[in-house]
Amino acid sequence: MAWQQPYQQPYGAPPQQWGNPPPPQHGHQYGGPSPGQGYGPPPGQPPYGAPPPGQYGVPPQSYPPQGYPPQQQVYQPPPQQYSPPTLPSLGYDPNQRANVDTMRDAEALRGAMKGLGTKENEVIAVIARIPDPVIMANLKQTYDQRLMRDLMSDIHKETSGYFREGLEACIRGPLRQDCHNLHDAMQGAGTKEGVLNDVLLARSNADIHAINSEYSRLYHKSLDAAVRDDLSMKTERLFTMVLSGRRQEESAPVIPQQLDQAVSELHHATEGTRMGADQITVCQILSSHSDGQLRAISQAFQHKYHHSLSDVIRKEFAGHMEEALLRMLHVAEDRAMADAKALEATMAGPGTKDRLLVNRIVRMHWDKNHMSQVKGAYKHHYKRELAQRVRGETSGAYERLMVALVG
């Protein structure tokens, strides 16, 4: 029987923690930020990507257990109120800098690729121990400028297959890799819809703005225009909403009256109509709320209607729209579990979806705390270690790199 997260109060509280934080590293590592040159969140701020401290929107004591206020006939997204914005993730802000010397690792990479044959294990050891994308950018710059070579070009010439793709994804860093994946997904016949979902859905406003800007810089075309050219109808509308980067910030509270309205409107737009689902209303609700607010909406929907919002979406939608809406909802409910299941989806059934597997592991590995949570969620749900599963689906240097990134 599949695991289901129990109904819990208060609405919108952060999901269960699945794994222990990764242990502190010793020996050869790039340490924390130097004084005045920090590349992490400012003192007192939560880690990048973590929910704000405390619990989301505990309803006041006077909140009625039954009976809901009159609902508006047309859903209106919650008014934008000032909430401290979520900071860009590491690697998504050009002002993030790492004041470290990466020359030793640059020389180690060069030595591993000189002469006959590439010392694959040495390359893996260097790439896998770089702790974040800001230091990776520093390493690439050191290699290119001080060794007067091009790290991406050398890696491309000296490696092959999905091993090469994994290394190049690491070296690009998460922002440029996101843009690379988006551009690749919209080239040629057909759209790689899973890539669009992975890169764009359930992201912070700050990261969406960074992706928009970098895509335009790299490809001389707005990402919004590219998506409009490639998608159609209601799915295009959903991604246009997402790319506006105007969802509620994670610091925004859960307001009971707005929660009630959203829950009722979701029911009215799906099960409450005989005219077919009102897709635009559902898209507006899921794309405009923060993860904490969507958790609260999901929990309140279950409480009021005695079945899950996920089941309603599966019943009322199909194809790319169904997958996109479920992705946003499941990440909000439990990001670690959603990512654990996304990894398993690349390995389940006949044939491994290697490109998705590479990109999902590389994306997750940049946040070591999150990767620890993903591994815990994976073990809880599938009763086996994630690294063991990856070993069974990959081989050679490709296997060793993926396992090293999983940790």
Side-chain angles (χ1 to χ4, degrees), residues 197-198 201-202 238-239 266 270 282-283 286-287 291 294 298 308-335 337-339 341-342:
N197 294 352
D198 280 1
L201 301 181
L238 170 61
F239 278 85
L266 281 169
T270 53
V282 178
C283 291
L286 267 65
S287 66
D291 285 352
L294 287 177
S298 174
S308 73
L309 182 54
S310 292
D311 287 344
V312 172
I313 290 173
R314 291 188 185 96
K315 178 182 176 182
E316 299 290 337
F317 297 88
H320 188 193
M321 179 66 82
E322 176 191 353
E323 293 171 1
L325 295 175
L326 288 174
R327 172 68 183 169
M328 289 189 287
L329 182 61
H330 290 164
V331 168
E333 291 172 337
D334 188 334
R335 183 176 292 267
M337 185 62 76
D339 281 351
K341 291 180 178 180

Side-chain angles (χ1 to χ4, degrees), residues 20-176:
N20 297 320
Q25 298 179 357
H26 303 284
H28 180 86
Q29 68 167 8
Y30 297 106
S34 58
Q37 298 288 332
Y39 50 84
Q45 293 278 354
Y48 291 115
Q55 296 179 325
Y56 293 96
V58 181
Q61 293 299 316
S62 60
Y63 183 62
Q66 295 180 354
Y68 291 83
Q71 304 300 317
Q72 299 180 15
Q73 294 302 307
V74 178
Y75 175 76
Q76 296 292 331
Q80 281 287 345
Q81 52 194 341
Y82 177 75
S83 301
T86 302
L87 295 170
S89 302
L90 276 174
Y92 288 79
D93 182 348
N95 296 317
Q96 293 166 344
R97 295 286 185 271
N99 186 22
V100 295
D101 184 359
T102 53
M103 188 61 188
R104 185 166 73 168
D105 278 340
E107 290 174 335
L109 285 173
R110 181 66 196 128
M113 292 186 284
K114 285 176 68 175
L116 275 177
T118 299
K119 301 177 182 67
E120 295 169 338
N121 288 342
E122 293 181 22
V123 174
I124 292 169
V126 173
I127 295 299
R129 71 175 170 236
I130 302 300
D132 65 54
V134 182
I135 293 176
M136 181 63 78
N138 180 295
L139 171 59
K140 184 180 185 308
Q141 182 179 49
T142 298
Y143 189 99
D144 293 357
Q145 294 181 359
R146 295 175 67 178
L147 299 183
M148 293 182 290
R149 299 189 64 86
D150 185 289
L151 178 57
M152 285 290 284
S153 178
D154 284 353
I155 288 288
H156 194 83
K157 288 186 292 188
E158 296 293 333
T159 60
S160 62
Y162 294 113
F163 177 48
R164 172 201 283 166
E165 290 196 21
L167 293 172
E168 290 180 341
C170 290
I171 294 164
R172 285 190 189 100
L175 176 56
R176 190 161 186 179

Side-chain angles (χ1 to χ4, degrees), residues 181-322:
N181 285 335
L182 288 170
H183 187 257
D184 180 69
M186 293 184 284
Q187 295 300 299
T191 301
K192 301 177 181 70
E193 296 162 346
V195 175
L196 269 63
N197 294 352
D198 280 1
V199 174
L200 295 175
L201 301 181
R203 302 297 296 266
S204 70
N205 292 332
D207 286 0
I208 286 291
H209 295 320
I211 292 167
N212 277 323
S213 178
E214 183 69 1
Y215 190 94
S216 296
R217 188 188 72 81
L218 290 172
Y219 301 110
H220 310 291
K221 180 178 183 178
S222 77
L223 180 54
D224 183 77
V227 167
R228 287 177 186 273
D229 288 346
D230 215 64
L231 299 178
S232 61
M233 301 178 65
K234 303 295 174 53
T235 310
E236 175 194 330
R237 290 282 300 278
L238 170 61
F239 278 85
T240 299
M241 295 175 195
V242 168
L243 286 171
S244 70
R246 295 176 183 170
R247 68 189 300 219
Q248 292 284 312
E249 297 288 350
E250 286 306 317
S251 55
V254 172
I255 298 173
Q257 292 79 8
Q258 293 178 0
L259 171 66
D260 295 338
Q261 179 189 352
V263 168
S264 293
E265 288 294 337
L266 281 169
H267 176 71
H268 179 73
T270 53
E271 300 173 301
T273 177
R274 297 181 180 179
M275 304 296 292
D278 180 352
Q279 297 187 29
I280 295 302
T281 292
V282 178
C283 291
Q284 287 175 329
I285 294 173
L286 267 65
S287 66
S288 64
H289 288 82
S290 70
D291 285 352
Q293 291 168 340
L294 287 177
R295 275 196 296 277
I297 288 168
S298 174
Q299 293 161 358
F301 190 99
Q302 173 83 42
H303 186 60
K304 184 174 182 179
Y305 298 109
H306 309 293
H307 53 264
S308 73
L309 182 54
S310 292
D311 287 344
V312 172
I313 290 173
R314 291 188 185 96
K315 178 182 176 182
E316 299 290 337
F317 297 88
H320 188 193
M321 179 66 82
E322 176 191 353

